Amino acid sequence: AVLLEATALLRERVSGIHLVIVGEGPERDVLQRQIDALHLTGTAGLVGSQDPAPWLTKASVFAMPSLHEGWGVAAVEAALVGVPVVMSATGCAAWLEAQGSAEVVSLPVSASSLAAALERSLSRATTPLKHVPSAQDVAAEQIRHWQEAIGSRQGK
């Protein structure tokens, strides 16, 4: 929903912007109504579940404003092909930012902060990721995040 709001804001500043949401889920009807309410028909579309690779070859930027992510495989896939990533501070965001592949937006993500990050990323050149983390790298990062979360809840 916040990505659609950001797209409506960005449409005012960037000509020719087009948002494609790949995937399927229980919020589809809600998102379609939001597209209609924001007058984004023709600017934003829901294409359902399909292989995201062809979309990434055309993408100028990849957005993942999630409230939570385990790791963020889709964002890593975008970075692998050199598409600039804009994502919320979840999952692999810090790692992708350290690689120079992502701009991270703090939680909670607002439409204005997301639109600003997307606009900056549209003009930012990136190079494809050189290193893809192994399963062990991903597991170690996940364990570190869980330890931090548990420690903060226990006052450590």
Side-chain angles (χ1 to χ4, degrees):
V2 73
L3 182 55
L4 290 171
E5 293 172 22
T7 301
L9 293 173
L10 205 51
R11 178 184 55 189
E12 309 284 325
R13 302 190 304 252
V14 178
S15 64
I17 189 150
H18 190 76
L19 171 67
V20 175
I21 298 176
V22 179
E24 193 65 53
E27 297 296 313
R28 182 185 182 89
D29 291 340
V30 172
L31 294 175
Q32 186 59 59
R33 284 192 298 276
Q34 186 178 8
I35 289 169
D36 297 340
L38 293 171
H39 307 289
L40 289 174
T41 304
T43 299
L46 307 169
V47 297
S49 291
Q50 50 184 275
D51 181 2
W55 295 104
L56 287 175
T57 62
K58 301 175 195 174
S60 300
V61 67
F62 175 87
M64 184 181 279
S66 301
L67 296 175
H68 54 83
E69 278 298 324
W71 176 249
V73 173
V76 172
E77 290 171 341
L80 280 170
V81 297
V83 176
V85 173
V86 173
M87 66 185 295
S88 52
T90 60
C92 64
W95 182 83
L96 281 175
E97 184 176 47
Q99 308 306 307
S101 298
E103 180 165 345
V104 178
V105 180
S106 298
L107 290 170
V109 176
S110 70
S112 60
S113 65
L114 183 57
L118 289 167
E119 187 171 10
R120 285 189 299 273
S121 292
L122 284 168
S123 61
R124 181 172 59 92
T126 63
T127 56
L129 280 176
K130 304 246 186 291
H131 168 73
V132 179
S134 67
Q136 292 84 2
D137 294 337
V138 172
E141 186 70 10
Q142 293 254 341
I143 289 167
R144 186 179 68 73
H145 282 287
W146 276 111
Q147 288 171 332
E148 288 174 5
I150 291 168
S152 69
R153 298 278 300 193
Q154 294 176 344
K156 295 180 182 178

